[in-house]
Each structure stands twice: as C-alpha cells, then as structure tokens.
C-alpha cells in the first residue's frame, strides 16, 4: 500500500465556512502522526474527513488505499479505531457494563453488547486485556474505574477490531498527571502494526511512538514532517501565536512560554 492516508488539495466548506483549505498530507506505512494546532485550526474537521463523516468539498482523499467516491465508507470505518472524549456521551451505557464487556462491544461497533457472544469472543477479550496489562480490571464495573483506566479500556475497545488506523483525539483531556502518564505509557506500547493519529494541544504527550507531526493553522497545513523537525521553537511560536521555549526530557518535548503573551491593564483588576 503506497499511502495509509492521502489528502491532495483537500478543502472543506460547511455552512459557508471554510474549515479546511488546500490540505496536502500523506501518512506512509510505519508512520505514527500527531496533529497539533489551536482550537479552530481544523483538527476535528480533518479527523471527520479521515473517518468519512465529512466528504471534502474539493480535492482527493484516500484512506488505506480506498479512494473516496469509489469505496464504501461504512465498511472502511471498520478498519479505523476511534477514541475521543466525545464518547463520554455514551457514559450512561458504559457505566452499566463491566470493563471486559465495554472492550467486547468494540467488536460489534456498539455501546453495549447486543449480539450473541461466543466463548472465542470472550477469550479474545481476555487475551487482549492480558497483553495490554488490563487483566486486573476483569470483573470490575466501568463506572468504578479511574479516569485513566477508563481511557485505557476505551482504547482497548478500539483495538479489539485490530484496526489499521487508531485515531486518538485528545485522549488525555481531563486527566490528572498520573492518569495521563498511564494512558501515554499505554499508547507507547501499542503494536507497530497500528498506524496512530494522535491529536493533542500538548507537545509533552508526544511519546517516542510518535514519528511525525502535522501542524495546522487556520484550516491550512502550517508545517508537516518528522517530529524532531516540527517541534522547533520558531514553528510552534508561530503556530500557537505565543513565544515558546522547548526542552527535551526523556525523549519527550516540553513547552513553556518565554513570557506572558498578554499585557494586563492594571486598571481592570480590582
């Protein structure tokens, strides 16, 4: 397969708003990408196109060698795992289930298990949980898990289908430091066979697994390439519109501001 994902001059217009403009982006076999950008930069819109939820207004898109307009998008989505804080809207269903049932539901692309389940299905879940170091959660209600454990279970749910692409849309949002590191360690150990698209605002979440970075700004590609080339102070300062300082520790980049980007008017502080 030549490209895992290919965008050629892709634009997206919704309700007369240009959400994406002339996007050119390729994900090659073996690459794992992070997508960075401010709110409104086009990250969610780009993910919606990859998933086939939004069809591009112009340009060409292919995912896993399937060209949009010539492929069955619902069938294509079965090869894409998706984890996002937007899944919280299904909490009322998830909270009724045990951890292993939540994972199994991913096999049927449902929330809750409504299909006939074979012993082989449960064995597959058990083996996956052991491989992902989640075996200790068997028999525990999802609602009683920590936030970090819940996110890891949802990632396992996405992995049960053995997707070719795993999209992690801000998976550490709302987590404390310990829970965040649990999730990042989990991501670090996902099989190399799975192509990760990791969306975040925080460069310290770019673990060693992440090989490339796509920087978006105002719905356009601001820069893209190998992680070490993209995580540069000048590029990030321009993309994030603040003066940034970057340091590397234990193979991960960390960002701090060189000075406050805002000048407060003392007369407005009472």
């Amino acid at each position: 397969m030549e490209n895992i994902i290919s965008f050629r001059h892709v634009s997206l217009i919704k309700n007369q708003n240009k959400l994406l403009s002339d996007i050119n982006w390729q994900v090659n076999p073996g690459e794992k990408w992070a997508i960075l950008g401010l709110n409104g930069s086009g990250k969610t819109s780009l993910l919606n196109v990859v998933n086939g939820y939004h069809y591009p207004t112009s340009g060409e898109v292919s995912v896993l060698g399937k060209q949009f307009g010539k492929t069955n998008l619902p069938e294509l989505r079965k090869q894409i795992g998706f984890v996002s804080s937007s899944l919280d809207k299904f909490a009322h269903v998830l909270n009724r289930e045990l951890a292993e049932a939540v994972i199994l539901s991913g096999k049927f692309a449902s929330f809750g298990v409504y299909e006939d389940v074979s012993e082989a299905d449960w064995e597959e879940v058990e083996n996956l949980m052991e491989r992902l170091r989640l075996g200790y959660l068997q028999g525990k209600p999802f609602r009683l898990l920590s936030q970090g454990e819940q996110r890891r279970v949802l990632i396992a749910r996405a992995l049960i289908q053995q997707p070719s692409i795993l999209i992690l849309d801000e998976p550490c949002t709302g987590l404390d430091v310990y829970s965040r590191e649990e999730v990042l360690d989990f991501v670090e150990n996902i099989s190399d066979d799975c192509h990760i698209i990791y969306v975040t605002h925080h460069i310290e979440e770019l673990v060693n697994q992440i090989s490339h970075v796509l920087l978006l700004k105002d719905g356009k590609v601001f820069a893209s390439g190998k992680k070490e080339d993209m995580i540069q102070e000048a590029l990030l300062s321009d993309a994030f519109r603040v003066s940034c300082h970057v340091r590397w520790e234990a193979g991960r980049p960390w960002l701090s501001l060189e000075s406050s980007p805002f000048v407060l008017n003392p007369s407005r502080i009472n």
Side-chain angles (χ1 to χ4, degrees), residues 222-239:
F222 181 71
S224 68
K226 292 184 177 180
K227 176 174 63 178
E228 291 77 11
D229 296 331
M230 295 298 101
I231 305 303
Q232 300 289 337
E233 292 177 355
L235 276 176
L236 295 179
S237 295
D238 200 342

Side-chain angles (χ1 to χ4, degrees), residues 160-177:
I160 192 71
Q161 279 282 55
Q162 299 180 355
S164 296
I165 299 172
L166 175 63
I167 297 175
L168 300 174
D169 184 12
E170 300 186 38
C172 296
T173 296
L175 300 184
D176 59 31
V177 173

Side-chain angles (χ1 to χ4, degrees), residues 81-101:
F82 182 60
V83 178
S84 167
S85 57
S86 65
L87 299 181
D88 292 346
K89 64 187 176 184
F90 298 104
H92 64 289
V93 177
L94 297 172
N95 287 336
R96 298 199 300 260
E97 304 285 354
L98 299 180
E100 57 266 35

